[in-house]
Amino acid sequence: MKYLTIFCRVVVGSLFIVSGLIKVNDVIGFGYKLEEYFAESALNYPGLIPYVIPIAIFIVVGEVLLGVALLLGAWPRLTTSLIMFMTVFFLWLTNYTASCIDRREVFKPSAEMKSFPDTCVETCGCFGDAIPLEPRQSFYKDIVLLILVLPVFIAAWRKKFALNTDSEDLWYLGVSLVLIGVFSVFQLKWLFPVSFTIIAVGMAMVVKRYAGPKVWLMALAPLLVTGYVQYYTYSHLPLKDYRAYAIGNNLIDQMKTATELGLPEPKTLAFYTLKNKITGELKELDSDAYLKSEIWKDTTWTAPIADMTYTREVQKGYRPKIQDFKPTDFDGVEMKDSLLALEKCFWVISKDLKTWDPSATARVKAFCDKAQEAGIPVFAITSADYEQADAFRHDNQLAFPFLVNDGTELKIIIRSNPGLVYLEKAVVKNMWAHRDIPEFESAKADNFLP
């Protein structure tokens, strides 16, 4: 039991550190995920949506601190109780989400109910965009996690472990670094979690070594480290970008279909319900079977009943990483191909002009005016309608044209409102949060590269 507890402590502590850190890296993205969960058509807590960022920060920073505390053996009962609570809660949440998708897969509308009533969250956000698990996969992951947490929880309440000795600290840290290092190399392609763990856990060990076993003081050290990383990524941009629009990505490649890549395509079929005019029998057929059987030629059957027709994905396959980038001008002309064909261009991205940070306007205007003077096209892409965009453009004397795109896609492009993206022939070369937009001449001297 002792060695099982040690094994579980190291695995669970390491997992909490990495899982929390991935979301610390992109807490705005995690906030968007919470918005999906809190929506009226999901968990129905719309009153929490204005507070998603504080809630997200509290969760992700807490996750990291609990992982560190478990490795060090700090506050065993409190730490393991909180970990158990989070594990059970997320087990319920991922099961709810997976069940929602399962219900949608077998849902059959009727004349009284013409569409599926719930909004299903397609990915849980447990590891952010780094590892986009489907809800059912995440549910199974949480079952395994619960199995690992139980021995540690029981051991803590039976007082089978306490605050580590100095030698135990080194042993736990060493094994944890091996686990985190393997995961970072093969799954995340990012070694920062290793250095972060060394600093966060190492600082707590130093505090304990020189200030004595004052647990609250030990907790302060990793809290400061995590808090600084969280402040930086929230105020600027994620340290590591796993999204399709990341620096270095060719957006045309990210938009290629399964057919273009020679991969299996997802298959969605329509399901029709017909009624026999003589017997009153109802028969459901998918669109393939409907055409193959030629039942539509049989006059004893009605045409498909419109209110009972629905579609369902019957075969999974590759979907383009970018599907909803379709910027249009105010005449309704799609500009995607034109933008991606440009030798160089800048995009000013604003998911919502109502929440555009006014402190950014002067920097955006100064940079973009000089870019246009240098012959580099600039386009703003926003979710606003023509009247809003035109009024905003004139009120702020912005000389570049505005295009319209779905706001959800704009949230993915850059975690800043506004944000600036630089492209060369469809390749993302650089991007800046509005706080980091440089002087044009200094950026030009570096070829606008990071």
Side-chain angles (χ1 to χ4, degrees):
M1 187 67 181
K2 175 184 176 181
Y3 294 107
L4 175 63
T5 301
I6 292 172
F7 171 80
C8 292
R9 274 181 64 190
V10 174
V11 173
V12 174
S14 302
L15 182 62
F16 265 66
I17 291 173
V18 173
S19 175
L21 185 58
I22 290 171
K23 294 190 283 286
V24 165
N25 177 61
D26 185 15
V27 75
I28 293 177
F30 184 54
Y32 293 151
K33 185 60 61 178
L34 293 181
E35 284 184 13
E36 293 181 41
Y37 278 116
F38 293 153
E40 289 184 10
S41 54
L43 294 178
N44 193 23
Y45 291 106
L48 294 177
I49 290 178
Y51 311 104
V52 291
I53 293 301
I55 293 171
I57 291 174
F58 178 78
I59 292 173
V60 302
V61 172
E63 198 170 355
V64 174
L65 294 183
L66 287 174
V68 173
L70 189 61
L71 287 180
L72 296 177
W75 286 320
R77 289 185 174 182
L78 176 62
T79 298
T80 56
S81 295
L82 290 173
I83 288 176
M84 175 63 75
F85 172 79
M86 290 184 69
T87 302
V88 172
F89 174 76
F90 284 111
L91 181 66
W92 168 82
L93 187 63
T94 53
N95 181 60
Y96 165 84
T97 309
S99 299
C100 176
I101 292 176
D102 291 343
R103 292 197 306 274
R104 184 180 64 187
E105 289 298 307
V106 299
F107 175 71
K108 297 180 180 180
S110 65
E112 292 75 28
M113 185 180 291
K114 299 181 182 180
S115 62
F116 185 73
D118 296 335
T119 297
C120 299
V121 180
E122 300 295 333
T123 59
C124 71
C126 305
F127 292 102
D129 292 304
I131 308 175
L133 297 176
E134 295 179 359
R136 186 57 64 188
Q137 293 173 321
S138 188
F139 173 68
Y140 294 143
K141 180 266 295 178
D142 286 335
I143 289 177
V144 173
L145 179 60
L146 181 61
I147 293 171
L148 293 172
V149 169
L150 276 170
V152 184
F153 177 76
I154 294 169
W157 281 90
R158 293 180 64 192
K159 297 184 178 181
K160 294 298 183 179
F161 72 89
L163 191 65
N164 294 348
T165 64
D166 290 348
S167 60
E168 286 174 334
D169 280 342
L170 292 173
W171 191 92
Y172 275 93
L173 176 60
V175 177
S176 176
L177 288 175
V178 171
L179 294 178
I180 293 174
V182 171
F183 190 78
S184 298
V185 169
F186 292 102
Q187 287 292 329
L188 304 180
K189 316 298 182 189
W190 187 38
L191 286 175
F192 179 73
V194 176
S195 56
F196 173 87
T197 304
I198 292 173
I199 295 170
V201 179
M203 286 181 64
M205 291 168 57
V206 170
V207 169
K208 186 177 75 169
R209 179 70 177 82
Y210 292 100
K214 299 176 182 177
V215 177
W216 67 268
L217 198 56
M218 289 172 55
L220 187 61
L223 176 61
L224 290 174
V225 177
T226 309
Y228 174 76
V229 175
Q230 181 62 94
Y231 166 78
Y232 182 88
T233 57
Y234 176 73
S235 301
H236 303 279
L237 292 176
L239 296 171
K240 176 71 172 177
D241 193 345
Y242 291 98
R243 291 162 293 161
Y245 296 89
I247 294 173
N249 283 357
N250 184 311
L251 301 191
I252 294 176
D253 290 342
Q254 302 295 309
M255 297 176 186
K256 287 182 177 178
T257 64
T259 301
E260 291 174 305
L261 296 172
L263 298 172
E265 293 185 71
K267 185 175 182 178
T268 300
L269 293 178
F271 286 78
Y272 304 129
T273 299
L274 296 82
K275 185 175 183 178
N276 190 292
K277 297 175 184 178
I278 300 173
T279 65
E281 176 191 356
L282 293 177
K283 177 177 288 189
E284 183 182 85
L285 297 169
D286 64 55
S287 50
D288 285 352
Y290 175 74
L291 294 174
K292 186 176 180 180
S293 67
E294 296 189 346
I295 194 173
W296 46 276
K297 292 181 178 180
D298 188 342
T299 58
T300 61
W301 291 91
T302 65
I305 302 171
D307 289 344
M308 299 183 72
T309 297
Y310 64 100
T311 60
R312 188 170 76 227
E313 184 178 277
V314 296
Q315 174 181 297
K316 293 190 178 296
Y318 176 83
R319 295 184 184 276
K321 295 180 180 178
I322 298 176
Q323 300 182 58
D324 297 319
F325 181 70
K326 300 173 183 178
T328 60
D329 63 20
F330 290 111
D331 292 323
V333 178
E334 187 175 303
M335 300 290 291
K336 179 183 71 176
D337 293 337
S338 300
L339 293 182
L340 298 180
L342 290 170
E343 189 76 21
K344 297 179 180 180
C345 66
F346 287 99
W347 296 349
V348 178
I349 304 295
S350 177
K351 65 182 178 67
D352 183 359
L353 290 179
K354 294 178 182 178
T355 56
W356 171 296
D357 191 322
S359 67
T361 306
R363 286 193 297 275
V364 170
K365 176 175 169 54
F367 187 98
C368 294
D369 284 350
K370 290 186 177 180
Q372 289 180 306
E373 290 173 8
I376 304 177
V378 178
F379 300 88
I381 310 178
T382 180
S383 61
D385 59 27
Y386 172 77
E387 287 77 13
Q388 288 178 309
D390 195 52
F392 184 88
R393 181 171 175 264
H394 283 91
D395 289 346
N396 294 284
Q397 299 182 324
L398 301 175
F400 41 86
F402 275 61
L403 306 175
V404 178
N405 199 91
D406 173 65
T408 301
E409 193 71 12
L410 300 182
K411 290 178 180 179
I412 299 172
I413 294 176
I414 190 167
R415 304 299 201 205
S416 178
N417 186 24
L420 184 65
V421 182
Y422 173 61
L423 298 96
E424 293 180 359
K425 294 181 179 178
V427 177
V428 178
K429 291 293 186 178
N430 205 354
M431 60 175 64
W432 300 267
H434 65 78
R435 296 177 181 86
D436 303 321
I437 294 176
E439 293 292 331
F440 180 82
E441 295 302 332
S442 63
K444 182 180 178 182
D446 293 329
N447 295 316
F448 307 110
L449 299 178

